[in-house]
Amino acid sequence: MSRETVVLGAGMVGVSIAWHLARRGRSVLLVDRLPPGRETSYGNGGLIQREAVRPYTFPRELSKLLSSLPNRRVDIRYRWSGVLQFAGPLFDYWRYSSPRHYARIIPEYASLIALSTQEHAPMIEAAGAGELIGKEGWLEVHRSQTELERRALEAEDSARRFGVTHDLLDGQGLALKEPGLGGGLAGAIHWTNSWSVADPGELVAAYARSFEQSGGEFLQAEVRGVRQAESGWRLDTDQGGIDARDVVVALGPWAGSWLRDLGYHLPTFVKRGYHMHYGTAEGQRIDHWLADADIGYILAPMRAGIRLTTGAELAPLDAPSSHDQLAAAERKARELFPGLGERLEAQPWKGARPCLPDMKPVIGPAPRHAGLWFAFGHGHQGFTMGPATGRVLSEMMEGEPTAVDMAPFRAERF
């Protein structure tokens, strides 16, 4: 089997890249061991976060670091095996989170976030997936008045610099928006130009079907090896060999380990996460996606039920599941929304966010191999930034001017 381009990884990032390249007339084969949208992209909070112009930092305040040590927080848990395995990248993550570095990173990161909804829009239309999308925004709920005021100042700055729109709600205004929430809440920021997705995995699958309708092909296969060949690249899979001129690595949390065989040792690490779906008590509902910002989890009213997604767990990618963090989030979620019902699944879902220490993805050509391209490390925002990544990488591969400056995203920075 021979293809002009092979894209490895059928999550939101890989599918979006394949979609853009096929639209440009390339012969594209998308390869993954599972159907599109069934791994990391399946399990997220279901938001296209136009407001997410500030990536998540490593905590630098001594009080927050000390509060993490008992390992009982909802927003962050750790295992010493993960801390030791990722010690180097985590130290760099802490370093890049300093005010001096972070001030430079924000506009670079925001340049891709700013393309998010505008690049999702044509893909949603082509895929006929409009019924999955809500454009009512989402609510960042705060229990602390101090934290609400701090975030309100950041929201104003994001509005001025990056075109983010929002409304500031006090406790009474929040109660009008969501009367089913518990009391004692300071208020919320209503992010108004972000979108919600009722079934994240199905949106990725719909984009993949649109890619196939444009002439692309999908192969469900396990890639066992890759090597350079006379005509470009040779991939060995459990479904046979594949020859390609170009190979795009969009393997999310698996990209770092996969690339070591080719001599690339990029400082990747993962933040694992869990989710569970719940019913609601009779007569109870929530209408918006909610983030309990001071605690660190999301409640999302999706097709499958109300999805509760946890914060980050620093642990090796394949370490056994631990459900304590989800249980702690569930207890807090029942305080926030007393109408939260019973669990709808026997076991929680587990996934991993692919991260790099400077909080930005790697997007662009491999430094030492012609025809090899990277697109991974999107952290918490691969679902949001996938279509924008597809656009700019396809522009790079075609030798065209890119929608934004791609120098901050090149692999050579490491």
Side-chain angles (χ1 to χ4, degrees):
M1 183 186 297
S2 181
R3 288 293 183 274
E4 186 177 4
T5 306
V6 171
V7 178
L8 301 178
M12 178 61 84
V13 173
V15 167
S16 297
I17 293 166
W19 189 91
H20 273 276
L21 290 172
R23 288 280 167 135
R24 291 169 172 274
R26 285 205 178 206
S27 170
V28 184
L29 179 68
L30 179 66
V31 181
D32 201 310
R33 62 182 181 179
L34 292 179
R38 302 311 299 174
E39 291 272 16
T40 307
S41 294
Y42 168 79
N44 60 71
L47 286 170
I48 300 169
Q49 291 188 248
R50 174 61 180 82
E51 91 296 337
V53 294
R54 289 174 167 80
Y56 291 100
T57 57
F58 194 101
R60 293 180 64 88
E61 303 89 350
L62 182 59
S63 60
K64 191 165 185 178
L65 287 169
L66 290 174
S67 73
S68 300
L69 288 178
N71 213 17
R72 292 194 294 267
R73 293 180 64 100
V74 171
D75 57 346
I76 180 69
R77 295 282 176 110
Y78 62 88
R79 301 192 198 183
W80 284 113
S81 57
V83 173
L84 292 173
Q85 179 178 335
F86 304 131
L90 288 174
F91 174 76
D92 286 340
Y93 184 19
W94 175 83
R95 184 169 59 84
Y96 280 115
S97 297
S98 71
R100 178 173 64 88
H101 287 296
Y102 192 56
R104 172 183 55 80
I105 289 167
I106 288 172
E108 295 171 346
Y109 186 85
S111 68
L112 280 182
I113 291 288
L115 298 176
S116 58
T117 50
Q118 78 172 53
E119 294 303 324
H120 271 276
M123 295 182 67
I124 291 166
E125 182 177 2
E131 76 283 354
L132 296 174
I133 308 301
K135 297 185 178 180
E136 69 288 338
W138 66 279
L139 300 175
E140 180 183 314
V141 177
H142 287 273
R143 300 168 183 242
S144 160
Q145 184 66 35
T146 300
E147 276 301 296
L148 177 62
E149 292 172 359
R150 183 188 67 81
R151 284 290 284 159
L153 291 175
E154 289 186 348
E156 291 293 341
D157 181 69
S158 296
R160 288 191 299 270
R161 296 170 63 191
F162 306 118
V164 174
T165 63
H166 73 283
D167 293 323
L168 180 61
L169 306 176
D170 61 13
Q172 185 177 4
L174 174 58
L176 290 173
K177 285 276 187 189
E178 290 290 353
L181 299 186
L185 299 170
I189 297 173
H190 181 194
W191 300 106
T192 54
N193 62 345
S194 295
W195 298 348
S196 57
V197 181
D199 188 335
E202 176 54 30
L203 183 63
V204 178
Y207 288 174
R209 291 192 293 270
S210 176
F211 155 72
E212 292 181 289
Q213 290 162 5
S214 297
E217 293 186 49
F218 171 70
L219 175 67
Q220 188 170 334
E222 186 86 39
V223 177
R224 293 172 171 167
V226 60
R227 63 184 186 276
Q228 281 191 297
E230 228 175 80
S231 58
W233 293 91
R234 175 74 176 180
L235 289 89
D236 298 317
T237 80
D238 59 357
Q239 302 296 314
I242 304 169
D243 294 305
R245 189 186 74 187
D246 292 307
V247 171
V248 179
V249 179
L251 289 169
W254 298 275
S257 58
W258 194 88
L259 284 169
R260 288 189 195 114
D261 288 344
L262 292 173
Y264 294 96
H265 298 274
L266 295 171
T268 56
F269 66 100
V270 298
K271 296 179 185 178
R272 302 202 320 179
Y274 301 85
H275 83 223
M276 172 58 69
H277 293 106
Y278 298 79
T280 55
E282 186 175 354
Q284 299 296 308
R285 59 184 288 175
I286 54 175
D287 294 319
H288 296 80
W289 269 239
L290 307 172
D292 193 343
D294 301 340
I295 304 298
Y297 64 89
I298 288 175
L299 285 178
M302 294 189 180
R303 281 181 169 179
I306 294 183
R307 178 178 291 186
L308 187 159
T309 66
T310 67
E313 180 191 43
L314 296 174
L317 179 60
D318 297 322
S321 298
S322 172
H323 298 156
D324 291 347
Q325 187 178 18
L326 179 68
E330 182 181 316
R331 288 192 292 271
K332 289 295 185 179
R334 294 189 185 281
E335 293 177 6
L336 180 70
F337 176 48
L340 191 67
E342 297 300 314
R343 292 187 174 193
L344 300 180
E345 294 145 335
Q347 292 294 324
W349 176 90
K350 172 176 68 69
R353 306 170 182 97
C355 301
L356 287 159
D358 67 353
M359 295 159 270
K360 298 175 297 183
V362 166
I363 305 171
R368 299 188 303 276
H369 292 85
L372 183 65
W373 302 84
F374 296 162
F376 57 86
H378 293 73
H380 293 256
Q381 299 299 344
F383 193 78
T384 292
M385 290 196 283
T389 299
R391 172 181 172 175
V392 295
L393 186 65
S394 65
E395 289 168 343
M396 295 177 84
M397 293 176 72
E398 293 294 310
E400 299 173 358
T402 53
V404 299
D405 179 14
M406 296 307 295
F409 305 98
R410 288 186 176 265
E412 289 89 340
R413 71 185 192 267
F414 297 116

Short mmCIF file of all heavy atoms in Angstrom, two decimals, residues 249-270:
data_model
loop_
_atom_site.label_atom_id
_atom_site.label_comp_id
_atom_site.label_asym_id
_atom_site.label_seq_id
_atom_site.Cartn_x
_atom_site.Cartn_y
_atom_site.Cartn_z
N VAL A 249 3.25 12.53 12.71
CA VAL A 249 3.10 11.89 14.02
C VAL A 249 2.18 12.75 14.87
O VAL A 249 2.56 13.83 15.34
CB VAL A 249 4.46 11.71 14.71
CG1 VAL A 249 4.28 11.07 16.08
CG2 VAL A 249 5.39 10.88 13.84
N ALA A 250 0.93 12.28 15.03
CA ALA A 250 -0.07 12.97 15.85
C ALA A 250 -0.61 11.97 16.88
O ALA A 250 -1.81 11.75 16.98
CB ALA A 250 -1.18 13.52 14.97
N LEU A 251 0.30 11.38 17.62
CA LEU A 251 -0.01 10.25 18.50
C LEU A 251 -0.26 10.66 19.95
O LEU A 251 -0.26 9.81 20.83
CB LEU A 251 1.12 9.23 18.44
CG LEU A 251 1.21 8.46 17.11
CD1 LEU A 251 2.52 7.67 17.03
CD2 LEU A 251 0.03 7.51 16.95
N GLY A 252 -0.48 11.95 20.18
CA GLY A 252 -0.85 12.40 21.51
C GLY A 252 0.11 11.92 22.59
O GLY A 252 1.33 12.08 22.47
N PRO A 253 -0.41 11.30 23.66
CA PRO A 253 0.47 10.91 24.77
C PRO A 253 1.48 9.82 24.44
O PRO A 253 2.40 9.58 25.21
CB PRO A 253 -0.52 10.43 25.84
CG PRO A 253 -1.77 10.10 25.11
CD PRO A 253 -1.82 11.03 23.94
N TRP A 254 1.32 9.15 23.29
CA TRP A 254 2.26 8.11 22.89
C TRP A 254 3.37 8.63 21.98
O TRP A 254 4.29 7.89 21.65
CB TRP A 254 1.51 6.97 22.18
CG TRP A 254 0.51 6.31 23.07
CD1 TRP A 254 0.73 5.28 23.95
CD2 TRP A 254 -0.87 6.63 23.19
NE1 TRP A 254 -0.43 4.94 24.61
CE2 TRP A 254 -1.43 5.76 24.17
CE3 TRP A 254 -1.71 7.56 22.58
CZ2 TRP A 254 -2.78 5.80 24.53
CZ3 TRP A 254 -3.05 7.61 22.95
CH2 TRP A 254 -3.57 6.74 23.91
N ALA A 255 3.30 9.88 21.57
CA ALA A 255 4.25 10.40 20.57
C ALA A 255 5.68 10.38 21.07
O ALA A 255 6.60 10.00 20.34
CB ALA A 255 3.84 11.81 20.16
N GLY A 256 5.90 10.80 22.31
CA GLY A 256 7.27 10.90 22.81
C GLY A 256 7.99 9.57 22.81
O GLY A 256 9.12 9.46 22.31
N SER A 257 7.36 8.53 23.35
CA SER A 257 8.00 7.22 23.39
C SER A 257 8.14 6.64 21.99
O SER A 257 9.13 5.97 21.68
CB SER A 257 7.21 6.27 24.29
OG SER A 257 5.87 6.14 23.85
N TRP A 258 7.17 6.87 21.12
CA TRP A 258 7.20 6.34 19.76
C TRP A 258 8.39 6.93 18.99
O TRP A 258 9.02 6.22 18.19
CB TRP A 258 5.89 6.67 19.06
CG TRP A 258 5.64 5.93 17.79
CD1 TRP A 258 5.05 4.71 17.63
CD2 TRP A 258 5.98 6.38 16.47
NE1 TRP A 258 5.00 4.38 16.31
CE2 TRP A 258 5.57 5.38 15.57
CE3 TRP A 258 6.60 7.52 15.97
CZ2 TRP A 258 5.74 5.49 14.19
CZ3 TRP A 258 6.77 7.64 14.60
CH2 TRP A 258 6.34 6.63 13.73
N LEU A 259 8.72 8.19 19.22
CA LEU A 259 9.77 8.86 18.45
C LEU A 259 11.18 8.54 18.93
O LEU A 259 12.15 8.86 18.25
CB LEU A 259 9.55 10.38 18.48
CG LEU A 259 8.43 10.89 17.58
CD1 LEU A 259 8.12 12.34 17.89
CD2 LEU A 259 8.80 10.72 16.11
N ARG A 260 11.30 7.91 20.09
CA ARG A 260 12.65 7.62 20.59
C ARG A 260 13.40 6.67 19.68
O ARG A 260 14.62 6.76 19.57
CB ARG A 260 12.56 7.06 22.01
CG ARG A 260 12.17 8.10 23.04
CD ARG A 260 12.28 7.63 24.46
NE ARG A 260 11.58 8.55 25.34
CZ ARG A 260 10.48 8.27 26.03
NH1 ARG A 260 9.96 7.06 25.96
NH2 ARG A 260 9.91 9.18 26.80
N ASP A 261 12.70 5.77 19.03
CA ASP A 261 13.36 4.85 18.10
C ASP A 261 13.98 5.58 16.92
O ASP A 261 14.87 5.04 16.25
CB ASP A 261 12.37 3.80 17.60
CG ASP A 261 12.00 2.78 18.67
OD1 ASP A 261 12.73 2.70 19.68
OD2 ASP A 261 10.98 2.08 18.50
N LEU A 262 13.50 6.79 16.63
CA LEU A 262 14.07 7.59 15.55
C LEU A 262 15.08 8.60 16.08
O LEU A 262 15.56 9.46 15.33
CB LEU A 262 12.95 8.32 14.79
CG LEU A 262 12.00 7.42 13.99
CD1 LEU A 262 10.84 8.24 13.44
CD2 LEU A 262 12.73 6.71 12.86
N GLY A 263 15.42 8.52 17.36
CA GLY A 263 16.46 9.37 17.92
C GLY A 263 15.99 10.70 18.47
O GLY A 263 16.81 11.57 18.77
N TYR A 264 14.67 10.86 18.65
CA TYR A 264 14.15 12.11 19.20
C TYR A 264 13.78 11.89 20.67
O TYR A 264 13.00 11.00 21.00
CB TYR A 264 12.92 12.58 18.41
CG TYR A 264 13.26 12.98 16.99
CD1 TYR A 264 13.09 12.08 15.94
CD2 TYR A 264 13.78 14.24 16.71
CE1 TYR A 264 13.41 12.43 14.63
CE2 TYR A 264 14.11 14.60 15.41
CZ TYR A 264 13.93 13.70 14.39
OH TYR A 264 14.26 14.05 13.10
N HIS A 265 14.33 12.72 21.52
CA HIS A 265 14.10 12.61 22.96
C HIS A 265 13.50 13.93 23.45
O HIS A 265 14.14 14.70 24.17
CB HIS A 265 15.39 12.27 23.69
CG HIS A 265 15.96 10.94 23.29
ND1 HIS A 265 15.57 9.76 23.87
CD2 HIS A 265 16.86 10.61 22.33
CE1 HIS A 265 16.20 8.75 23.30
NE2 HIS A 265 17.00 9.24 22.36
N LEU A 266 12.28 14.17 23.04
CA LEU A 266 11.59 15.39 23.43
C LEU A 266 11.04 15.23 24.85
O LEU A 266 10.66 14.13 25.26
CB LEU A 266 10.46 15.68 22.45
CG LEU A 266 10.94 15.99 21.02
CD1 LEU A 266 9.78 16.05 20.06
CD2 LEU A 266 11.71 17.30 20.99
N PRO A 267 10.99 16.31 25.63
CA PRO A 267 10.63 16.22 27.06
C PRO A 267 9.12 16.09 27.29
O PRO A 267 8.51 16.92 27.96
CB PRO A 267 11.19 17.52 27.63
CG PRO A 267 11.09 18.50 26.50
CD PRO A 267 11.39 17.69 25.26
N THR A 268 8.54 15.04 26.76
CA THR A 268 7.11 14.85 26.92
C THR A 268 6.78 14.26 28.28
O THR A 268 7.57 13.55 28.89
CB THR A 268 6.57 13.91 25.82
OG1 THR A 268 7.30 12.68 25.88
CG2 THR A 268 6.74 14.52 24.44
N PHE A 269 5.60 14.57 28.77
CA PHE A 269 5.04 13.93 29.97
C PHE A 269 3.53 13.94 29.84
O PHE A 269 2.99 14.54 28.89
CB PHE A 269 5.50 14.62 31.26
CG PHE A 269 5.01 16.03 31.44
CD1 PHE A 269 3.92 16.30 32.26
CD2 PHE A 269 5.63 17.10 30.80
CE1 PHE A 269 3.47 17.60 32.44
CE2 PHE A 269 5.19 18.39 30.98
CZ PHE A 269 4.10 18.64 31.80
N VAL A 270 2.84 13.25 30.71
CA VAL A 270 1.39 13.18 30.61
C VAL A 270 0.73 13.63 31.90
O VAL A 270 1.30 13.50 32.99
CB VAL A 270 0.89 11.75 30.26
CG1 VAL A 270 1.43 11.31 28.91
CG2 VAL A 270 1.24 10.75 31.36
#
